[in-house]
Amino acid sequence: LFKRYRDEYDKIVKNVAKNRDRVEEYFDGLYRNEAWKENATVRRILSGIMKENLYNVQHMQELFGRLFESVRRMQEAEMLQLEECKRNKGELVERCLQRAQTVYDEVKLVDTFSKIKVNGENLKIVKIDMPKLEEEQGRAMMALYLEKCIEDIGRLKDEGGYDPAKIDNTIHGYMAPQVLLDAVISLNDISISVFKPEHNLKLSRYIPWEVVIQWSGGEKLAGFFAMFISIVSYLRYKKTGWQG
């Protein structure tokens, strides 16, 4: 009977030792976990655990209770910060979209100041054709563009090419009006043409700007002058509000 109890006791002692080794192994793994590497609060709590306390159930319950509460508060703070970032990003998308829409409307307005009378009919000497800017599609495209900007800045930081002293210039380049407009409609899809009158008015037609700039002599000068007058008239309207 004594031998049987002694064997059972030895078995229990071995199991306890084995379980103690497992507890210490798991604790060491928890302490070395990369998830806590940058978290000073969690590492401070883990560092304060003495190995003799690993088997004190009440002590560990209270300790991990504080640890879980600390993690919960940090999670709440991170969620609040994330929500704030989402709101800020949404506001940034709206502001950038509004800026792009303003530039879009301004560009569309330029050719209205190039009208002349031909056979009693008002015709635009310069015509600017732009793809339609859909609000929802534009909003989605602007959001994608800003995501790319954020990724680019993040990549610069990771690669060591991020210069805090020049970040304002970098952001200024990302937020340039023409760049924002290009984010929602491709600038390559904007077509500009110049009206070329002929002696036979039926043969008069609009010539693409890419062709106009290849003309020589008086025709090229006339095309450039038509564009110049349109822009000057538009700028005068923007400055004075007078459209004559």
Side-chain angles (χ1 to χ4, degrees):
L1 181 61
F2 172 78
K3 183 179 181 302
R4 189 178 69 199
Y5 284 135
R6 187 186 63 185
D7 291 343
E8 290 180 0
Y9 172 78
D10 290 341
K11 184 177 179 182
I12 292 173
V13 170
K14 289 180 181 178
N15 286 334
V16 169
K18 182 178 179 181
N19 288 330
R20 287 174 69 94
D21 291 340
R22 292 179 63 190
V23 169
E24 292 179 8
E25 179 185 351
Y26 289 146
F27 174 75
D28 289 339
L30 176 64
Y31 184 78
R32 293 192 300 268
N33 193 318
E34 288 293 324
W36 314 120
K37 186 175 181 180
E38 304 297 332
N39 194 310
T41 301
V42 175
R43 288 189 65 83
R44 185 172 63 252
I45 293 175
L46 293 175
S47 298
I49 301 176
M50 304 299 293
K51 287 202 173 182
E52 58 266 24
N53 292 324
L54 287 176
Y55 315 103
N56 185 330
V57 176
Q58 182 177 355
H59 175 81
M60 296 302 291
Q61 284 179 335
E62 293 175 355
L63 184 65
F64 275 90
R66 293 195 299 271
L67 177 61
F68 292 145
E69 178 62 20
S70 176
V71 172
R72 185 188 66 79
R73 285 197 295 266
M74 286 188 290
Q75 286 178 330
E76 288 181 353
E78 291 292 335
M79 289 301 297
L80 290 175
Q81 186 176 7
L82 179 60
E83 291 300 321
E84 182 67 18
C85 288
K86 287 181 179 179
R87 285 193 295 270
N88 291 340
K89 180 183 175 183
E91 183 177 351
L92 180 60
V93 169
E94 292 301 323
R95 289 188 178 186
C96 290
L97 179 61
Q98 185 178 12
R99 180 60 174 155
Q101 180 71 60
T102 299
V103 176
Y104 178 86
D105 294 338
E106 296 290 339
V107 173
K108 284 189 67 177
L109 195 60
V110 171
D111 64 2
T112 61
F113 293 87
S114 68
K115 291 181 180 179
I116 61 171
K117 283 194 180 237
V118 178
N119 275 0
E121 181 183 359
N122 283 329
L123 290 178
K124 293 179 180 179
I125 293 298
V126 174
K127 186 166 65 171
I128 300 177
D129 293 316
M130 303 179 66
K132 189 174 181 181
L133 175 54
E134 299 287 353
E135 183 176 349
E136 287 304 317
Q137 182 181 3
R139 182 175 289 107
M141 294 177 69
M142 184 63 73
L144 289 175
Y145 169 70
L146 293 178
E147 284 284 357
K148 181 180 180 299
C149 293
I150 294 171
E151 290 176 1
D152 288 346
I153 293 177
R155 186 174 62 254
L156 287 176
K157 293 183 70 174
D158 293 339
E159 295 174 352
Y162 178 84
D163 186 352
K166 298 180 180 179
I167 187 60
D168 287 344
N169 291 333
T170 302
I171 295 176
H172 180 75
Y174 286 143
M175 297 293 105
Q178 71 276 12
V179 176
L180 294 178
L181 179 60
D182 191 42
V184 291
I185 64 164
S186 174
L187 296 183
N188 292 329
D189 292 337
I190 299 176
S191 64
I192 302 174
S193 53
V194 177
F195 183 74
K196 182 182 180 184
E198 302 286 353
H199 291 296
N200 184 351
L201 289 179
K202 292 183 179 180
L203 299 178
S204 300
R205 65 195 186 280
Y206 284 96
I207 306 298
W209 183 253
E210 293 80 3
V211 176
V212 173
I213 61 178
Q214 295 177 6
W215 285 347
S216 60
E219 287 186 333
K220 182 177 182 179
L221 179 62
F224 280 20
F225 189 72
M227 178 64 74
F228 174 74
I229 291 299
S230 299
I231 295 175
V232 168
S233 298
Y234 164 75
L235 293 176
R236 180 182 63 180
Y237 164 75
K238 293 298 294 182
K239 187 174 182 62
T240 66
W242 182 74
Q243 184 175 2

